[in-house]
Structure formats: C-alpha cells, structure tokens
Amino acid sequence: KAGVTQTPRYLIKTRGQQVTLSCSPISGHRSVSWYQQTPGQGLQFLFEYFSETQRNKGNFPGRFSGRQFSNSRSEMNVSTLELGDSALYLCASSSGTAQETQYFGPGTRLLVL
Amino acid sequence: GNSVTQMEGPVTLSEEAFLTINCTYTATGYPSLFWYVQYPGEGLQLLLKATKADDKGSNKGFEATYRKETTSFHLEKGSVQVSDSAVYFCAPDGGSYIPTFGRGTSLIVHP
C-alpha cells in the first residue's frame, strides 16, 4: 500500500499571501488530520476531517481552513500568511475509528518571508 | 480533556546506554497509549502501542508498559544505537478520534 503523500514538500511564500497544501491518505482511510510542527510549540493539532466533514478542530485562527474530498484527499489553506506560520505541516490518515494508529506523511515545509 | 507530559530533552546518551523517556497522561475514559518516533526529515511513525492496563508494547528493542494506576507509559530500551537518534512522542488516545501528542523528547546517541 502506498503511504500518505503530501504536496508540495517545500514552499516559500511572503507575508499576506495564501497557500494551499494537499494530502493524499492511505487507500481506504477516511480520516485525515492536520498538524503544525514548530521548534517552539511542538506538534499542534489543527483539524480532522472524516467523510468530508470536519469532526475535530484545534485552537487555530480562522485563517487556517481545510476540506476533504469524496476520495478522502484533503487540502489545507492558510490565508493572509504571517511570519509565524513558518512550520512543518504534517497530515496523518487513519481508518477513522477511535484509538487507531495514525499514519503520517513526510510533511510540507512552509517558509514565510 | 486529555493531556500528556513528557520529560524535557534533549536526552544525550552514548551508544549501548540504557534509555528511559518518561510519559504521564491524563485522559477521559480508557485510552489507548502510543509512542511515535520522528526521524530527521520525516513524518512521525508508530513505534509501539498498548491498549489495556499492564499491556507491554514492544518494537525494535523499545518497550513501554501501560500503567493505569500511575497513568504512565514510560519508554525504555536496553541498549541504544546511533540510528535511534530521533524525536519521540507519547500520545494517549482517549477515544476522541485523534490522539493528544506530547511535546516530544529529542534523543541524541553518540558513537
């Protein structure tokens, strides 16, 4: 089985721009979660989508949004980028059942200048 | 809600040393407990898990025992290798469909 894939792997943007990141889950997985990882804050949960619906949400401003398509692929969008948005963005997929293993992609490294 | 406390890093060891990374948690209900590992430049991957009290998860020489009475899930390895250098995350999952990740503990193993 192919693993979780994320595109692009690296991205450079300037303040005020917007960005869209993509995540393709493992085949058959219906849940996709997104995380922001920074040296200062560690791994922080953004949101989780299951069957095209946002099921869980972390404590991030509304500039961060996401969606999930009928094939379970997910996108995450950040509008009006700030310098502090520079981070590694990780997505993880799972079957969507509680207490199941999360399978992570390699991440998208975003640098905001 | 759920929360997890991991020991601060970095933990620096010589090859073949004994490793312990402490993890304690609070969780509603009866959580499953996970350790994930992140090697440099990669995403996280499951290292081991335990789903009920006194279960011992093990993988690649690493072990952790589900201690319900102390709400702990400490990670241990008897003899670390340079290739074990990575960041380790404790993650209880209390049934909210997503685990709660600790801040991660960086392990550096010197030859």
Side-chain angles (χ1 to χ4, degrees):
Chain A
K1 255 185 187 177
V4 178
T5 58
Q6 292 187 245
T7 57
R9 291 294 310 276
Y10 303 93
L11 208 46
I12 300 175
K13 291 285 188 179
T14 56
R15 277 182 301 175
Q17 287 188 307
Q18 68 93 26
V19 66
T20 299
L21 312 181
S22 180
C23 173
S24 292
I26 289 172
S27 177
H29 283 183
R30 295 167 65 192
S31 168
V32 174
S33 300
W34 288 90
Y35 297 84
Q36 181 194 68
Q37 187 176 29
T38 59
Q41 299 296 320
L43 195 65
Q44 294 186 282
F45 170 71
L46 282 153
F47 30 65
E48 182 230 3
Y49 285 86
F50 178 76
S51 293
E52 302 180 65
T53 301
Q54 189 180 83
R55 187 165 63 173
N56 284 287
K57 188 176 187 310
N59 190 26
F60 276 79
R63 299 186 297 109
F64 292 81
S65 63
R67 59 177 175 169
Q68 187 179 34
F69 301 95
S70 58
N71 61 358
S72 292
R73 189 177 71 84
S74 177
E75 286 183 348
M76 188 197 119
N77 184 275
V78 188
S79 62
T80 320
L81 283 166
E82 301 176 359
L83 296 179
D85 297 332
S86 294
L88 180 67
Y89 290 88
L90 294 164
C91 82
S93 77
S94 76
S95 64
T97 307
Q99 303 184 351
E100 287 296 319
T101 300
Q102 302 287 311
Y103 295 86
F104 283 81
T108 294
R109 187 162 295 282
L110 171 66
L111 177 61
V112 181
L113 301 176
Chain B
N2 301 337
S3 67
V4 57
T5 302
Q6 277 184 247
M7 60 190 291
E8 294 269 339
V11 173
T12 304
L13 296 171
S14 297
E15 211 165 23
E16 299 183 5
F18 183 85
L19 168 71
T20 299
I21 300 178
N22 290 336
C23 169
T24 57
Y25 66 90
T26 60
T28 54
Y30 202 121
S32 288
L33 303 176
F34 299 81
W35 277 100
Y36 286 83
V37 59
Q38 185 177 30
Y39 296 103
E42 300 182 11
L44 282 71
Q45 59 184 267
L46 177 70
L47 180 61
L48 52 84
K49 67 183 279 189
T51 58
K52 61 182 189 295
D54 301 324
D55 262 3
K56 179 182 284 188
S58 61
N59 185 27
K60 300 182 182 179
F62 290 90
E63 293 182 338
T65 301
Y66 191 141
R67 300 290 186 199
K68 196 169 193 306
E69 64 279 7
T70 56
T71 60
S72 65
F73 194 50
H74 305 320
L75 183 68
E76 296 180 334
K77 186 173 185 181
S79 176
V80 294
Q81 305 301 310
V82 172
S83 58
D84 294 327
S85 298
V87 181
Y88 292 82
F89 294 86
C90 182
D93 186 343
S96 61
Y97 304 107
I98 46 147
T100 301
F101 285 92
R103 290 187 58 84
T105 301
S106 175
L107 171 65
I108 301 169
V109 181
H110 293 294

